[in-house]
Amino acid sequence: MKLPTGKTVVITGATSGIGKALRALYEQAGNVVINISRHAVEGPNDYSADIGDKEKTEAVARDIGRRFGKVDILINNAGYGQSGPLELIPDTEIRRITDVNFLGAVWLTRALIKYMAPGSVIGYVCSVGSIIPMPYRTMYAATKAALGALAFGMRMELKPLGIRVSALYVAAVKTDFSAHREKIQVSDGKYYKALSGTDRFIDDKGGKNATGKLSSEAAARKMARALARKRPKAEQLIATPAYFLAYPLAKFSPGLAISIIEKVFGAC
């Protein structure tokens, strides 16, 4: 499917991983791409801002509206991973991951809607991890599940305005995302053995060279094509073929999926 051209595209977290690949893809197709990231910026269309900060995010959105006058494509991609037992995660870290992974998309969407005309599209980068369970990644999964619910609700709210919305459920991708997750360290106690095993499993399977994963470029192509549809699906799975079997199992038989995952991680 041919990608759009001549559009104004806003992507959060476009300095690494999937976001960076999306940026390159849209720029190569002849679009103006605006990046919002808390990391170092590279050009005039880069904004250095933490989307978890409501005031800064809204200020960036106002400046985008002033400079560009419109937004045709918004991809809420920014987020980070976290692992640790919920009981021991500090309150500040629970609030932090909620602000970045979920509320940041709320603030940015709300602030940019006024610049989006009929035919515009919003993509929310959700995670298969919010449907296929994994122990000790509870807050990450919860924030991504909330993002999916946000996408579905906004799809209905924005339909009368002609703005299309899609939830992009991304599975394993060959990036440093998992390696760079925030680890809540537990030195002893009731969670130590199970958490250590789970962290080892994620570290072994979560690297750039892990098998059974999409490259960032392949994931970006699938996402951009999904959003380029005349009628984007409410929910789109971005994954290798194996996930097209695991995904419906977890979605429609969660008890069985949990049993299988418990056995996998119980052996760690």
Side-chain angles (χ1 to χ4, degrees):
M1 181 177 291
K2 189 176 180 180
L3 297 185
T5 188
K7 304 296 183 181
T8 301
V9 184
V10 176
I11 305 173
T12 61
T15 55
S16 63
I18 297 173
K20 185 175 182 179
L22 278 167
R23 178 180 188 166
L25 198 63
Y26 279 110
E27 286 180 339
Q28 289 164 10
N31 300 285
V32 174
V33 180
I34 302 160
N35 164 52
I36 306 173
S37 173
R38 66 185 179 88
H39 298 295
V41 296
E42 300 173 352
N45 294 339
D46 291 274
Y47 286 88
S48 179
D50 184 338
I51 64 164
D53 185 317
K54 179 175 178 289
E55 287 71 27
K56 288 184 179 178
T57 297
E58 290 175 341
V60 166
R62 286 193 297 270
D63 196 62
I64 289 171
R66 179 187 62 80
R67 291 179 59 201
F68 300 94
K70 65 167 186 171
V71 173
D72 300 299
I73 301 170
L74 167 60
I75 303 178
N76 290 286
N77 167 71
Y80 70 96
Q82 183 190 78
S83 62
L86 181 65
E87 181 184 359
L88 302 180
I89 299 175
D91 292 355
T92 53
E93 299 307 324
I94 289 175
R95 292 193 180 99
R96 169 74 180 146
I97 196 168
T98 302
D99 285 343
V100 174
N101 286 13
F102 174 59
L103 287 177
V106 173
W107 309 140
L108 189 61
T109 298
R110 192 170 69 170
L112 289 181
I113 286 173
K114 63 175 65 71
Y115 306 114
M116 304 186 79
S120 302
V121 62
I122 301 175
Y124 292 92
V125 181
C126 304
S127 173
V128 169
S130 68
I131 297 171
I132 298 176
M134 186 178 292
Y136 305 112
R137 300 196 81 180
T138 302
M139 278 308 303
Y140 171 74
T143 57
K144 288 297 186 177
L147 200 61
L150 175 66
F152 293 168
M154 293 309 296
R155 183 180 177 91
M156 292 181 282
E157 288 188 24
L158 296 179
K159 184 177 180 180
L161 304 183
I163 300 173
R164 302 161 295 159
V165 178
S166 184
L168 305 169
Y169 280 83
V170 180
V173 179
K174 294 179 183 178
T175 69
D176 285 331
F177 183 83
S178 291
H180 289 164
R181 73 188 183 281
E182 177 193 43
K183 293 183 182 180
I184 306 301
Q185 299 295 330
V186 178
S187 59
D188 59 272
K190 54 193 173 186
Y191 295 112
Y192 177 75
K193 182 178 179 181
L195 176 60
S196 297
T198 299
D199 274 339
R200 284 195 302 272
F201 182 92
I202 296 170
D203 290 338
D204 290 344
K205 303 297 182 182
K208 282 186 174 181
N209 298 319
T211 58
K213 293 186 173 187
L214 290 172
S215 67
S216 296
E217 293 73 20
R221 284 193 297 270
K222 288 178 178 290
M223 294 163 72
R225 288 169 182 166
L227 295 177
R229 292 173 178 266
K230 186 175 181 180
R231 294 184 179 85
K233 295 180 179 179
E235 181 175 310
Q236 179 69 49
L237 179 61
I238 308 297
T240 53
Y243 280 90
F244 284 84
L245 297 175
Y247 180 70
L249 171 66
K251 196 169 181 66
F252 298 110
S253 186
L256 178 58
I258 289 171
S259 292
I260 293 171
I261 297 297
E262 282 178 335
K263 288 179 181 178
V264 170
F265 285 95
C268 293

